[in-house]
C-alpha cells in the first residue's frame, strides 16, 4: 500500500491548448491531482491567461506554468517549472519552483531550491513519438539519496504507478495517459489509491 498523500500525481497539458481545457484542469484537481502543469510552449501570454482564468480561483495555487513566467505576479499560482526553454525565474519571483531533468546527475546538480524535479523519460513516451526511456534501474536505485522529491515522467500510466512508488519516486507526472482530447479525464477509479 502506498501512502497516497506523499505520492504526488501531476498532470501535464499537451503542447497546444485543447477544447474545454479549464474544465479538464478543474476536474483533475478536484479529483485530487497534486498539480497541473500548463506546458503549452507556443501559447501566447493571452492564451495562457485565459486558461488560468477558466479554472476557479481557489485552484490557481495548484497550477504550475512552464512559460510566460510574468503571469505568476498576476495570479496566486502553484509555481514555475524551469526547463531548457525557460531556465530561470524572473527577477523578484519568490514562489515555488520545479525543474525538468533528464538524468540522475542532472537531478543532483539542479535540485537546490526546487520543491520537486521531474526525471524523464522513465518509460517510452506516450505523447512524443520516438522519445525512448533513458532511465535505468541503476539510476532509480540512486533516488533514495536525493534530498528533493523526484517525480517520474515519460510513458506513465496508472498501471506503472505501484512500481514507481516502490522504486523510490515521490510521484508521477502524466501527459499522454490523461486523454486531454477526450471529453473529460476520468481517472478516479484507476488512481483512487494514489489520490489524496
Amino acid at each position: 500500500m502506498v501512502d497516497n498523500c506523499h505520492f504526488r500525481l501531476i498532470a501535464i497539458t499537451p503542447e497546444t491548448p485543447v477544447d474545454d481545457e479549464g474544465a479538464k484542469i478543474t476536474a483533475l484537481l478536484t479529483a485530487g491531482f497534486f498539480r497541473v502543469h500548463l506546458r503549452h510552449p507556443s501559447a501566447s501570454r493571452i492564451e495562457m491567461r485565459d486558461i488560468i482564468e477558466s479554472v476557479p480561483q481557489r485552484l490557481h495555487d495548484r497550477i504550475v506554468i512552464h512559460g510566460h513566467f510574468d503571469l505568476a505576479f498576476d495570479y496566486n499560482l502553484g509555481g514555475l517549472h524551469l526547463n531548457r526553454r525557460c531556465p530561470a525565474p524572473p527577477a523578484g519571483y519568490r514562489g515555488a519552483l520545479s525543474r525538468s531533468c533528464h538524468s540522475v546527475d542532472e537531478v543532483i546538480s539542479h535540485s537546490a531550491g526546487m520543491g520537486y524535479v521531474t526525471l524523464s523519460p522513465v518509460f517510452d513516451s506516450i505523447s512524443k513519438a520516438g522519445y525512448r526511456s533513458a532511465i535505468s534501474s541503476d539510476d532509480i536505485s540512486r533516488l533514495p539519496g536525493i534530498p528533493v522529491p523526484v517525480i517520474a515522467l515519460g510513458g506513465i500510466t496508472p498501471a506503472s504507478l505501484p512500481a514507481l512508488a516502490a522504486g523510490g519516486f515521490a510521484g508521477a507526472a502524466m501527459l499522454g495517459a490523461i486523454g486531454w482530447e477526450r471529453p473529460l479525464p476520468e481517472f478516479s477509479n484507476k488512481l483512487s489509491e494514489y489520490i489524496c
Side-chain angles (χ1 to χ4, degrees):
M1 185 74 168
V2 173
D3 182 350
N4 62 347
C5 292
H6 294 285
F7 190 84
R8 302 169 180 172
L9 289 180
I10 296 170
I12 300 177
T13 62
E15 217 169 292
T16 57
V18 297
D19 291 340
D20 298 322
E21 188 165 311
K24 292 172 184 177
I25 291 168
T26 301
L28 290 165
L29 292 173
T30 302
F33 271 72
F34 172 66
R35 296 275 187 271
V36 171
H37 281 221
L38 293 184
R39 183 169 154 257
H40 307 318
S42 60
S44 70
R45 184 183 191 284
I46 292 170
E47 287 173 312
M48 290 286 280
R49 184 202 65 205
D50 289 349
I51 293 167
I52 293 167
E53 290 183 356
S54 70
V55 174
Q57 189 174 3
R58 66 184 166 78
L59 298 174
H60 285 183
D61 64 350
R62 291 170 60 202
I63 295 173
V64 174
I65 55 177
H66 286 217
H68 298 293
F69 287 167
D70 61 306
L71 288 168
F73 296 110
D74 299 335
Y75 300 94
N76 180 32
L77 299 178
L80 307 180
H81 189 76
L82 308 179
N83 53 42
R84 289 181 183 137
R85 186 173 53 86
C86 299
Y93 178 75
R94 301 281 182 257
L97 296 171
S98 57
R99 179 182 291 276
S100 294
C101 295
H102 303 286
S103 72
V104 173
D105 289 337
E106 190 178 353
V107 167
I108 293 166
S109 65
H110 290 92
S111 62
M114 298 298 121
Y116 58 89
V117 296
T118 59
L119 178 61
S120 69
V122 174
F123 303 114
D124 294 349
S125 178
I126 295 168
S127 62
K128 296 180 183 178
Y131 194 50
R132 307 301 240 177
S133 171
I135 310 302
S136 70
S137 57
D138 286 342
D139 292 328
I140 293 171
S141 71
R142 296 170 64 194
L143 295 179
I146 296 173
V148 64
V150 179
I151 307 297
L153 174 62
I156 309 299
T157 66
S160 63
L161 297 179
L164 294 170
F169 283 97
M174 294 181 252
L175 194 167
I178 296 286
W180 289 98
E181 298 300 330
R182 292 193 292 266
L184 272 179
E186 295 179 9
F187 273 150
S188 56
N189 292 334
K190 292 180 182 175
L191 302 179
S192 60
E193 180 180 343
Y194 298 94
I195 292 178
C196 238

